[in-house]
Amino acid sequence: MNRTPLVVGNWKLNTSLAEATALTEGIVNAPVDGVDTVLCPPFPWLVPLAELIEDARVALGAQDCWSEVRGAYTGDVSAALIAPYCRFVIVGHSERRALHGEGNDLVARKVGAVLSAGLIPILCVGESAAQRAAGDAETVIKAQLDAAMDTLNAREISQLVVAYEPVWAIGTGAAATPEDAAAMATLIRHRLSAKHASAARTARVLYGGSVTVDNAADLFATDDIDGALVGGASLDATAFNGIRRAAMT
Ligand code: PEP
C-alpha cells in the first residue's frame, strides 16, 4: 500500500501573526510533489492563515480541541468551531497529557469529537524515559492507542493519523533511532490492523521527536513511518521544507 507521506508542523505557543504569515508563505511557496503538509499554528492564526493557503497539498491543523461541542467549558475550543478553517487536529500531545493532566479517556473522547466535526485526528502516543527504561514502552503505547480506537469504525481508522512521539525525544535533540522508531510504528500498525486490517493499511503513522533535516531521510526510509510530526524545526521554513523534501518518495 502506497500511503501519501505526511509532514506536520506543530508551532505550539510560538509565532506572532506576522511570523506565522511569513512562515506559511515560506512553506506554500515551496511546493513539494507527492507530500501532504499540515501546519498547526496557535488557534487565532487559523483564521487568517486559511485565506493564504491555496495549495491542496498544504492544510491547516489545530493543536488541540475540547471533547464537547458546546457548554460551560471556559477557555476551550470545540472541533466544530475550528472546522471551517482546518482539516486536522492534534490530540493527546504529550504536553497536553503532562501539563493539563489529559488521560487516555479524555483523549479518546477528543478523537471522537474531531471525527464528528468531519476533521482528521492526529493522535499522539508515546512513552516517557522512565517507562522505556522499565521495559513498559509497548504496553503504554498499546493502552494509549486502544483507548482511542475503541469506538472507531473501519472508515475512521483508515483516516486516522497516529504520531509516535516518545516523550524523551521531544524537544531534546535526541531523536529515536530509525530502528526504534520503526519498531514502534510497526507495532502501532499491527494494533490498528488487529482492529480493522484493511483500514490499517491506509492509516498514516508518523514519527515525532527532534526530527531535523539531517535525520528525516533515515526515519522516512523505514516501511511503517509515513512522515513526521515536527516541533522545533517546523518554525524555520528552510528546515521544515528540507524535511518535507526528505519525505518525497
Ligand atoms: C512535538 O512537540 O511534537 C515535537 C515533535 O517537537 P520537536 O520536534 O521539537 O521534538
Side-chain angles (χ1 to χ4, degrees):
M1 157 64 63
N2 270 344
R3 291 174 292 271
T4 305
L6 174 64
V7 178
V8 181
N10 174 14
W11 299 355
K12 310 191 184 188
L13 184 48
N14 293 298
T15 68
S16 63
L17 178 55
E19 289 165 343
T21 302
L23 188 50
T24 302
E25 284 170 349
I27 291 161
V28 295
N29 292 335
V32 177
D33 278 349
V35 175
D36 290 341
T37 300
V38 178
L39 310 179
C40 302
F43 277 125
W45 306 158
L46 287 171
V47 180
L49 295 186
E51 293 189 3
L52 284 183
I53 299 179
E54 285 167 7
D55 181 345
R57 286 230 177 264
V58 181
L60 289 175
Q63 297 175 18
D64 186 44
C65 70
W66 187 236
S67 56
E68 306 303 321
V69 176
R70 63 169 60 219
Y73 304 106
T74 302
D76 284 312
V77 174
S78 70
L81 277 183
I82 49 180
Y85 312 104
C86 64
R87 299 220 304 266
F88 294 79
V89 185
I90 297 172
V91 289
H93 192 280
S94 64
E95 286 153 15
R96 301 292 315 176
R97 293 179 190 262
L99 302 175
H100 298 267
E102 297 193 1
N104 288 343
D105 289 350
L106 175 59
V107 173
R109 292 202 301 280
K110 289 188 177 190
V111 167
V114 171
L115 288 163
S116 297
L119 302 174
I120 298 175
I122 300 172
L123 168 67
C124 298
V125 296
E127 82 284 1
S128 68
Q131 289 165 332
R132 175 161 281 257
D136 291 337
E138 294 192 359
T139 310
V140 169
I141 302 304
K142 284 178 189 166
Q144 291 175 338
L145 201 53
D146 289 356
M149 272 199 309
D150 202 32
T151 59
L152 304 189
N153 61 34
R155 187 183 53 79
E156 291 167 337
I157 288 184
S158 71
Q159 294 179 344
L160 194 64
V161 178
V162 180
Y164 169 56
E165 295 213 305
V167 179
W168 44 269
I170 295 179
T172 61
T177 62
E179 295 73 25
D180 284 348
M184 207 58 98
T186 300
L187 174 136
I188 289 168
R189 197 172 307 282
H190 283 162
R191 205 73 185 168
L192 296 173
S193 204
K195 185 98 173 145
H196 285 289
S198 62
R201 285 196 282 276
T202 44
R204 288 183 282 189
V205 180
L206 312 181
Y207 167 76
S210 296
V211 174
T212 65
V213 70
D214 296 322
N215 61 19
D218 288 343
L219 288 159
F220 298 159
T222 59
D223 274 355
D224 277 314
I225 298 180
D226 303 314
L229 176 50
V230 186
S234 72
L235 293 169
D236 179 284
T238 306
F240 190 64
N241 289 339
I243 295 169
R244 293 165 68 219
R245 280 192 290 275
M248 281 171 82
T249 44

